Amino acid sequence: MLYVVPVSATPISQSSIPAPHPSKARFLKEHGFVAPGTVLFHQGQPSAPQFKLSQGCIALSQTLADGRRQIVDIVGPGELVGLAHGDKNRMTAETLSYCHIEHYHADGIGKIYSAIGEAMMRIEAHTMLLGRKTAPERVASAILDLSERFARPQRLRSEVRVFNLYLGRGDLADWLGLSLETVSRCFTRFKRAGLIDFEEPEIVTVLDLPALQAIADGAVPT
């Protein structure tokens, strides 16, 4: 059974996202897709049901009273959303692409524990990234993580990886605790060094995985 987005859910930046053609909108609704920029549930609202993302990308974030946002986790295909502790959502969930979402009914408590464990491992790694890594190390780590989780089918050399970058530069900045300018400089630096390539911001090719991994691990001066 497909997850139905509440009527009250509205995009955060709706004005910046073009509305789909009416025929495309009907197709998306009939096939259970949710448009990018849709808020599935808000921080502080009653806990949302658990659901599984089968296609697309979702950002989980927390917002301070003054409007500053920190993206806590990026959810990819096969992962769960809505694992709230308590009776209210601790985060806001926003789609960064067209997403296909399904209700999740676990057939065993072990699967829930496994999903929680995976989410905690990602958050622990992100805490280390924010607390100890330099800006180039953070951006390199993010590229490697996203390139593995959102890889595109391709027939290039095995050491080359092409992926969909669903996060805009501003989203990356909110995720990595950096300024938008710093994120952009790191991408330009990696491109000039021949580590990555992109003709369009949303499709990135990783050309040198070992070198990028070495930067992410802090094994080379940055």
Side-chain angles (χ1 to χ4, degrees):
M1 185 175 184
L2 298 177
Y3 179 76
V4 179
V5 181
V7 175
S8 60
T10 55
I12 289 179
S13 53
Q14 189 173 10
S15 60
S16 64
I17 300 171
H21 187 275
S23 61
K24 185 176 183 180
R26 286 195 298 271
F27 174 86
L28 293 171
K29 183 177 181 180
E30 291 171 359
H31 290 78
F33 281 87
V34 180
T38 299
V39 177
L40 302 177
F41 54 79
H42 285 277
Q43 175 182 338
Q45 287 184 339
S47 296
Q50 295 171 7
F51 57 87
K52 181 177 180 180
L53 178 64
S54 57
Q55 182 178 334
C57 179
I58 294 173
L60 300 178
S61 64
Q62 293 183 334
T63 305
L64 297 177
D66 61 5
R68 285 177 292 170
R69 181 180 70 152
Q70 174 67 56
I71 293 180
V72 178
D73 196 13
I74 298 297
V75 179
E79 297 172 1
L80 302 185
V81 181
L83 297 172
H85 176 70
D87 58 357
K88 292 186 178 180
N89 299 315
R90 298 181 62 83
M91 291 177 280
T92 294
E94 180 186 5
T95 60
L96 300 183
S97 69
Y98 285 105
C99 293
H100 190 271
I101 305 170
E102 301 174 344
H103 275 300
Y104 182 74
H105 301 287
D107 54 5
I109 193 67
K111 290 188 176 182
I112 293 293
Y113 281 140
S114 177
I116 293 174
E118 291 174 3
M120 296 222 20
M121 287 177 63
R122 290 198 305 269
I123 291 174
E124 287 172 0
H126 192 60
T127 301
M128 175 63 73
L129 177 147
L130 293 176
R132 289 300 179 185
K133 291 195 174 187
T134 65
E137 291 168 359
R138 296 184 197 186
V139 175
S141 297
I143 292 173
L144 289 169
D145 176 33
L146 297 173
S147 70
E148 183 175 356
R149 298 164 66 194
F150 300 100
R152 293 166 60 96
Q154 43 88 24
R155 299 178 180 178
L156 300 177
R157 306 188 311 271
S158 59
E159 64 271 20
V160 172
R161 188 182 293 167
V162 183
F163 71 100
N164 291 318
L165 180 59
Y166 295 117
L167 288 77
R169 298 296 188 263
D171 296 322
L172 284 165
D174 288 346
W175 190 31
L176 302 176
L178 301 170
S179 69
L180 186 151
E181 293 77 13
T182 298
V183 171
S184 296
R185 283 198 299 269
C186 287
F187 267 80
T188 300
R189 173 180 172 183
F190 293 161
K191 183 176 182 179
R192 289 176 177 172
L195 305 183
I196 65 173
D197 193 18
F198 51 89
E199 295 299 327
E200 301 175 359
E202 65 273 13
I203 301 177
V204 178
T205 300
V206 180
L207 300 172
D208 194 333
L209 282 167
L212 203 61
Q213 186 67 63
I215 294 174
D217 293 341
V220 296
T222 58

